[in-house]
Amino acid sequence: MKMINGYEESITKAQEWLWEVLPGFATSIITAILILIFGLWLIKFINRMVRKFFSRADYDPSLESFLQSFINIGLKIVLFVLVITELGVQSSSLVAMLGAAGLAIGLALQGSLANFAGGVLILVFKPFKVGDFISAQGVDGTVKEITIFTTKLSTFGNQIAIIPNGQLSNNNIINYNAQSTRRDKITVGIGYSSNIKQAKDILLQICAENEDILKDPAPEVYVGELADSSVNLSLRFWAENEVFWAAHFNVLEELKNRFDEAGIEIPFPQRVLHQEKA
């Protein structure tokens, strides 16, 4: 009988404790949910204001995309801390938990941390910026966006290539827009029986008539190689970045048409078979 009375007394105390604790805990949960909802709305509002600010100010687009991404992630981390604290997690315990979690995450996400550091290096040293045409990691494309972890390139085929910043900052990059002009090199082979001087004059005339090709430095043509079946001429000229490819393709088309008109042969690989008589 005494044992039953002891159980009943324990149950009564547990119920009293729950009635004391539950209202406060429920209040904390409701408050945490409200903080989460309001915080997410506030983060969206701040991100919108940041985008408007950058759209009105004349800042580097590379820096804009990086800071927007950084601010968004930073605000969400702050919101997470506020919600956890409201649920009753002590600040000291939270700091210890975040420290342990940070160490574990750091070991697990070394690549991501390297990408973050790579993004910072890209912004500091500026090997390229948004709008530049680059070649990196076997991909050619125009830089569309630089975030805290990756860089997005728009390729010739209008695909989006996403390259980790860590790889970009630690490997070779060719920036075709670093200078305002580019030099092109076109190699064309002519037959050994063709007139070299005539072919060189035709190539220089094509460059002189093309408005996209710069006249200073002047275009030049020279014999680059005496190959097995052709004399290879190398044509070099300069053009502004904006019209570089237009000049390149125009020269290719014109040299073929004018060589045909002048009777200058452009050899192509041929295989000759000799059959011995029995």
Side-chain angles (χ1 to χ4, degrees), residues 40-79:
L40 291 175
W41 175 85
L42 183 61
I43 289 173
K44 289 182 179 180
F45 177 77
I46 293 174
N47 287 333
R48 189 162 56 248
M49 291 299 100
V50 170
R51 285 193 295 269
K52 287 184 178 179
F53 171 77
F54 281 130
S55 65
R56 295 174 182 173
D58 187 17
Y59 288 99
D60 185 350
S62 306
L63 181 63
E64 293 178 16
S65 59
F66 185 89
L67 288 179
Q68 288 177 22
S69 179
F70 183 79
I71 291 172
N72 181 52
I73 293 177
L75 290 175
K76 288 182 178 179
I77 292 175
V78 172
L79 177 61

Side-chain angles (χ1 to χ4, degrees), residues 181-187 203-204 206-208 210 212-222 234-240 243-252 255:
T181 59
R182 289 174 59 183
R183 186 175 70 172
D184 197 3
K185 177 183 178 182
I186 296 178
T187 300
L203 293 175
L204 291 176
I206 292 173
C207 293
N210 192 316
D212 292 333
I213 295 177
L214 298 177
K215 305 307 181 282
D216 184 21
E220 56 184 4
V221 185
Y222 56 88
S234 292
L235 169 64
R236 296 190 176 187
F237 60 83
W238 293 81
E240 299 285 345
V243 295
F244 176 83
W245 288 111
H248 175 84
F249 294 127
N250 177 264
V251 169
L252 288 178
L255 74 85

Side-chain angles (χ1 to χ4, degrees), residues 187-200 202-203 223 225-233 255-256 259-260 262-270:
T187 300
V188 56
I190 63 174
Y192 272 92
S193 60
S194 299
N195 188 313
I196 294 178
K197 184 178 183 308
Q198 182 185 16
K200 293 173 66 175
I202 291 175
L203 293 175
V223 176
E225 181 185 10
L226 299 177
D228 293 337
S229 59
S230 65
V231 177
N232 292 337
L233 301 180
L255 74 85
K256 175 63 171 67
F259 277 12
D260 288 346
I264 298 176
E265 177 190 6
I266 301 179
F268 54 89
Q270 301 182 56

